[in-house]
């Protein structure tokens, strides 16, 4: 970059290394040296550019002091003086010379943009970032199109002057130019800017690109998940956590439980239960009462009652009390294993601690009802002494009444059918006994049997009265 400044000598400043007097602010219209100054300037330029002798160049240039120079000559002397100062490491002095040349109109209009850029580099060398950035902005304003490296410089300058939002588009252009194979510092810088500007979702996406290059780097996984959390993109955070688990990166109880809870949160309780049970069996999740109850909940919510039952039995034996046996009974009820249902519910009642003791008796009554133990079912429903129990009792009574009504109807219909049959037989009798069917010969006996059956049914007899 300093060689470029030496070549073009185009940066802004206010002091010259030779006494040149006051300059006009108008654009210089002169285009060449006079004969008496041209050779001296050429000698100084040769000393600097060919002989690489800045001291000799300055000595030659100083010979022009006290000589009346035209505007073209004054501009050339200022630019060459700036180049000499660059060689001597006096970047601030070089900038002052070129700023004067620019301000006094000694820089052609078509070279102004390049001058702004070179000034920015001189001020950077002098560690004046604010002024350097100001000239970079003027350079952009003059229509310049930054290269990849110039975009990077702009991004860094804006960030170093606490202007992260202005830095971001330039950093993005660098990443776009470099593509996915960009150096790690480009990734890290852009990730830093996304974090500082609160664009956490974009940060997470970029981390995912970086993760594809470094799939085992744990801190990248954690950063991605954390940023999705902070950006309130829970589903994406879940997918990252799931991938981490499947990759074997999550090993502690807290990490694994986070995955289990995620599965449950996103309505995949069966997968949550499978992971929890697997990790319990592996010893990475302790088989505590709390964890066992969670596992039972997950399997039951997933309606995996067969898988829930052995877990519930273990939890009950670990001291889960009546509530765990109650859950066992309800799981058996879902599977319609009514004998096991009653057994578990009786254990629940005996163990105590139930929130709904009457509900347990109702389920016992239902289990007996399903096994055609109607007497035992009524006993359980009465023991429940609740609306549910009374509802079952009313239902069973209704069933009994319906059964009696149907039975009585059948008995009464049998009597009526036979009496109608007798009437038909009486009508045929007038034609002679020979014309009567054999069934008519037994009709009276069959009527008596039907009436006796109706009279023998106490329930039907009670209804008749």
């Amino acid at each position: 970059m300093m060689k470029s400044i030496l070549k073009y000598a185009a940066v802004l400043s206010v002091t010259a290394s030779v006494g040149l007097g006051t300059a006009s602010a108008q654009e210089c219209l002169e285009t060449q040296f006079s004969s008496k100054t041209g050779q001296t300037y050429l000698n100084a330029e040769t000393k600097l550019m060919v002989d690489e002798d800045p001291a000799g160049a300055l000595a030659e240039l100083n010979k022009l002091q006290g000589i009346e120079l035209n505007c073209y000559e004054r501009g050339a002397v200022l630019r060459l003086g700036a180049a000499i100062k660059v060689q001597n490491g006096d970047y601030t002095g070089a900038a002052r010379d070129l700023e004067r040349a620019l301000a006094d109109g000694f820089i052609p209009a078509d070279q102004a943009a390049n001058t702004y850029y070179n000034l920015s580099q001189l001020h950077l060398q002098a560690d004046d970032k604010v002024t350097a950035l100001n000239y970079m902005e003027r350079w952009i304003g003059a229509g310049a199109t930054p290269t990849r490296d110039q975009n990077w410089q702009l991004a860094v300058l804006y960030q170093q002057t606490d202007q992260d939002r202005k830095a971001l588009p330039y950093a993005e252009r660098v990443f776009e130019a470099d593509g996915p194979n960009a150096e790690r510092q480009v990734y890290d810088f852009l990730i830093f800017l996304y974090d500082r500007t609160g664009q956490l979702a974009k940060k997470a996406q970029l981390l995912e690109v970086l993760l594809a290059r470094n799939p085992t780097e744990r801190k990248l996984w954690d950063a991605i998940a954390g940023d999705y959390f902070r950006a309130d993109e829970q589903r994406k955070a879940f997918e990252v956590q799931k991938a981490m688990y499947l990759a074997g990166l999550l090993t502690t109880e807290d990490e694994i439980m986070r995955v289990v809870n995620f599965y449950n949160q996103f309505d995949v309780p069966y997968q949550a239960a499978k992971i929890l049970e697997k990790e319990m069996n592996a010893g990475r999740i302790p088989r505590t009462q709390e964890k066992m109850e969670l596992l039972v909940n997950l399997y039951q919510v997933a309606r995996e009652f067969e898988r829930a039952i052995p877990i519930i039995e273990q939890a009950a034996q670990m001291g889960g009390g009546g509530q765990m046996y109650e859950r066992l009974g309800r799981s058996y009820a879902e599977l319609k294993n009514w004998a096991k249902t009653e057994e578990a519910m009786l254990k629940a009642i005996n163990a105590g601690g139930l929130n709904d003791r009457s509900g347990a008796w109702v389920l016992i009554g239902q289990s007996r009802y399903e096994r055609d133990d109607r007497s035992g079912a009524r006993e359980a429903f009465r023991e429940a002494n609740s609306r549910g129990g009374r509802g079952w009792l009313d239902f069973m009574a209704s069933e009994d009444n319906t059964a009696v009504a149907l039975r009585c109807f059948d008995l009464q219909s049998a009597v009526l059918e036979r009496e109608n049959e007798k009437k038909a037989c009486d009508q045929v009798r007038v034609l002679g006994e020979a014309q009567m069917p054999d069934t008519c010969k037994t009709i009276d006996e069959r009527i008596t049997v039907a009436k006796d059956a109706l009279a023998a049914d106490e329930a039907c007899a009670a209804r008749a009265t």
Side-chain angles (χ1 to χ4, degrees):
M1 181 52 65
M2 290 303 103
K3 288 183 178 180
S4 173
I5 295 173
L6 281 170
K7 181 178 180 182
Y8 296 106
V11 197
L12 298 160
S13 200
V14 185
T15 343
S17 57
V18 290
L20 300 174
T22 304
S24 169
Q26 297 179 350
E27 184 177 357
C28 180
L29 299 179
E30 298 285 346
T31 60
Q32 60 184 1
F33 283 94
S34 64
S35 58
K36 62 180 179 180
T37 59
Q39 187 58 52
T40 303
Y41 179 88
L42 182 60
N43 292 340
E45 188 177 53
T46 300
K47 287 284 186 183
L48 179 67
M49 306 300 291
V50 178
D51 300 339
E52 297 184 359
D53 178 12
L58 182 59
E60 288 292 329
L61 202 61
N62 284 336
K63 293 178 181 179
L64 297 177
Q65 291 189 37
I67 298 175
E68 185 69 27
L69 304 177
N70 64 36
C71 62
Y72 177 80
E73 293 168 334
R74 290 198 298 273
V77 168
L78 280 172
R79 292 196 297 274
L80 185 58
I84 293 170
K85 288 182 172 64
V86 168
Q87 282 286 67
N88 289 328
D90 181 10
Y91 303 116
T92 301
R96 285 197 301 266
D97 283 353
L98 292 173
E99 284 170 346
R100 178 175 177 180
L102 186 66
D104 288 350
F106 299 156
I107 304 295
D110 60 354
Q111 295 181 21
N114 188 62
T115 303
Y116 295 144
Y117 179 74
N118 288 332
L119 270 170
S120 71
Q121 304 310 298
L122 284 175
H123 282 292
L124 271 181
Q125 291 294 323
D127 200 30
D128 185 353
K129 296 181 177 65
V130 174
T131 304
L133 185 54
N134 177 265
Y135 280 118
M136 290 286 277
E137 289 175 339
R138 293 174 70 177
W139 173 60
I140 295 291
T145 301
T147 64
R148 180 266 182 209
D149 290 342
Q150 289 164 342
N151 278 320
W152 179 254
Q153 188 177 71
L154 279 161
V156 171
L157 276 173
Y158 275 122
Q159 189 279 317
Q160 289 178 338
T161 54
D162 297 322
Q163 300 181 77
D164 296 321
R165 292 196 177 278
K166 289 186 176 181
L168 189 54
Y170 293 103
E172 288 177 328
R173 289 171 197 166
V174 172
F175 182 74
E176 183 179 356
D178 292 353
N181 293 323
E183 293 182 1
R184 182 61 181 266
Q185 66 170 344
V186 176
Y187 277 94
D188 290 344
F189 185 57
L190 191 52
I191 287 167
F192 169 80
L193 291 176
Y194 281 139
D195 186 75
R196 288 285 293 268
T197 57
Q199 300 187 57
L200 302 180
K202 283 189 174 182
K203 176 186 173 186
Q205 290 171 359
L206 192 59
L207 284 166
E208 287 181 355
V209 177
L210 188 57
L211 186 62
R213 292 172 48 177
N214 306 277
T216 60
E217 190 170 343
R218 172 61 188 271
K219 67 179 182 179
L220 290 176
W221 288 96
D222 289 334
I224 294 169
D227 286 328
Y228 279 136
F229 272 125
R230 291 164 58 197
D232 200 28
E233 295 200 32
Q234 299 294 312
R235 183 76 199 194
K236 290 184 177 179
F238 166 46
E239 294 299 332
V240 173
Q241 289 285 311
K242 181 169 65 174
M244 292 175 71
Y245 176 74
L246 295 175
L249 298 176
L250 304 183
T251 57
T252 69
E253 178 182 353
D254 288 344
E255 292 170 343
I256 296 169
M257 287 307 301
R258 189 181 307 123
V259 175
V260 170
N261 292 331
F262 259 132
Y263 272 110
N264 191 32
Q265 177 183 343
F266 287 101
D267 297 324
V268 197
Y270 178 63
Q271 192 64 32
K274 283 179 61 179
I275 291 174
L276 182 55
E277 186 173 13
K278 172 188 173 184
E279 296 300 335
M280 281 183 174
N281 293 336
R284 293 198 288 188
I285 300 292
R287 200 177 293 273
T288 63
Q289 186 71 41
E290 179 186 4
K291 295 294 192 302
M292 294 291 282
E293 289 185 12
L294 174 60
L295 183 57
V296 170
N297 285 340
L298 292 171
Y299 274 133
Q300 287 186 321
V301 170
R303 302 195 66 76
E304 292 286 335
F305 300 107
E306 290 186 1
R307 301 193 67 153
I309 284 172
I311 309 298
I312 300 173
E313 289 175 338
Q314 292 179 46
Q317 293 168 6
M318 290 172 62
Q323 292 184 5
M324 195 56 65
Y325 280 113
E326 180 185 13
R327 297 179 72 170
L328 181 61
R330 294 191 183 281
S331 293
Y332 277 126
E334 292 286 347
L335 297 173
K336 301 189 185 308
N337 188 334
W338 300 113
K340 289 286 189 179
T341 298
E342 179 175 355
E343 179 184 342
M345 282 306 198
L346 287 173
K347 287 183 179 179
I349 291 171
N350 292 332
L354 298 183
N355 295 325
D356 184 13
R357 188 174 182 275
S358 64
W361 277 111
V362 168
L363 195 54
I364 291 171
Q366 182 182 354
S367 71
R368 292 174 179 175
Y369 171 86
E370 297 290 348
R371 290 176 290 152
D372 292 326
D373 180 5
R374 297 180 71 83
S375 175
R378 289 191 188 92
E379 180 183 351
F381 292 141
R382 284 193 288 268
E383 185 68 33
N385 192 28
S386 65
R387 178 181 296 178
R390 288 189 291 274
W392 268 100
L393 288 170
D394 291 343
F395 170 72
M396 291 182 70
S398 175
E399 279 191 325
D400 291 341
N401 290 334
T402 299
V404 169
L406 290 172
R407 189 172 68 251
C408 292
F409 176 78
D410 288 341
L411 292 171
Q412 290 167 352
S413 295
V415 172
L416 184 60
E417 286 176 3
R418 284 153 181 73
E419 288 178 341
N420 288 334
E421 186 181 350
K422 178 176 174 56
K423 290 177 182 180
C425 289
D426 289 344
Q427 291 174 352
V428 175
R429 184 175 284 111
V430 298
L431 299 176
E433 292 292 333
Q435 300 297 322
M436 293 181 62
D438 291 340
T439 53
C440 288
K441 298 175 181 179
T442 61
I443 188 58
D444 290 331
E445 180 182 347
R446 288 187 286 117
I447 289 174
T448 299
V449 171
K451 287 182 176 181
D452 288 346
L454 178 59
D457 193 305
E458 296 180 359
C460 292
R463 289 170 66 89
T465 61

